[in-house]
Amino acid sequence: MTIKVGDRLPSITLVKVTPEGPEQVNTADYFAGKRVALFAVPGAFTPTCSAQHLPGFIAQADAVKAKGVNEIACTSVNDVFVMKAWRQTNNAGEITMLADGNADLAKAVGLTLDGSKFGMGTRSQRYTMLVNDGVVEQLFVEAPGEFKVSSAEHLLSVL
C-alpha cells in the first residue's frame, strides 16, 4: 500500500552521509520535530537524477528553506558511498543524503520501481514528499518516465 498524505513515515533505518563517515539513522528519530523536504530518485548518477532532480534542489535550497523547511534530504536505493560520491561530485553540501541501499524505505512506503530490465533491480520511484514531524504533509509521485511534480520548482509552487 502506498503511503499517503496524513500517514506517519514507517520506522526504517537508513544510512546518512556525514563528514565523519556513514551514520545509521532511524526515520522516526531523523524526521522528529522538523519539516523536511524529502526527494527520492531511482539512482544516483543516473541521467534525470543528475541532470535535473538533484541540481534543482541544490539551486532552490535557500528558497525551499525560506518557505519553512528545516532540511532537504535525498534518498536513493544506492549504498552510502555512492551517495557520498554523488553529493561531492555535485557540490550538494546543503542536501542530506540518506542511502536506502536495501530499498527498505521504498518498499515500506509502497513506492518501488522495477528497474530489472535496466540491470538496476528494485529501486525507488521518483517522488518528493514534505514530512512534518514524521507525518507526510504533501506527496508528489512522478508517472513513469516523467519529471514534473517531484521537482524543487513544483514543491516551491505549492509551499
Side-chain angles (χ1 to χ4, degrees):
M1 183 171 184
T2 303
I3 198 163
K4 60 187 182 311
V5 171
D7 288 349
R8 180 164 293 283
L9 281 180
S11 181
I12 300 293
T13 299
L14 300 171
V15 185
K16 179 179 174 183
V17 173
T18 74
E20 295 78 31
E23 175 188 332
Q24 289 195 345
V25 294
N26 183 281
T27 54
D29 298 327
Y30 175 77
F31 289 96
K34 58 186 169 185
R35 195 170 185 216
V36 178
L38 175 69
F39 67 101
V41 298
F45 293 105
T46 58
T48 302
C49 305
S50 291
Q52 294 177 286
H53 212 167
L54 178 60
F57 275 97
I58 294 168
Q60 298 296 335
D62 290 341
V64 169
K65 289 179 180 177
K67 298 279 188 170
V69 172
N70 303 105
E71 194 165 341
I72 300 169
C74 176
T75 186
S76 182
V77 181
N78 289 110
D79 66 65
V80 69
F81 304 105
V82 169
M83 296 295 283
K84 178 182 178 183
W86 196 42
R87 181 182 188 192
Q88 290 173 331
T89 300
N90 288 281
N91 297 313
E94 59 278 314
I95 309 297
T96 300
M97 295 292 182
L98 299 171
D100 186 20
N102 296 320
D104 293 335
L105 179 64
K107 291 172 187 172
V109 298
L111 291 169
T112 59
L113 165 75
D114 182 2
S116 297
K117 79 177 190 179
F118 303 107
M120 296 171 66
T122 301
R123 294 295 175 129
S124 176
Q125 289 184 45
R126 183 181 309 283
Y127 65 84
T128 294
M129 70 170 64
L130 189 60
V131 182
N132 194 348
D133 195 24
V135 176
V136 178
E137 187 177 310
Q138 297 193 48
L139 175 63
F140 307 102
V141 181
E142 291 292 355
E146 298 268 328
F147 179 67
K148 297 176 184 174
V149 299
S150 66
S151 69
E153 294 77 14
H154 183 262
L155 180 62
L156 275 171
S157 76
V158 298
L159 284 176

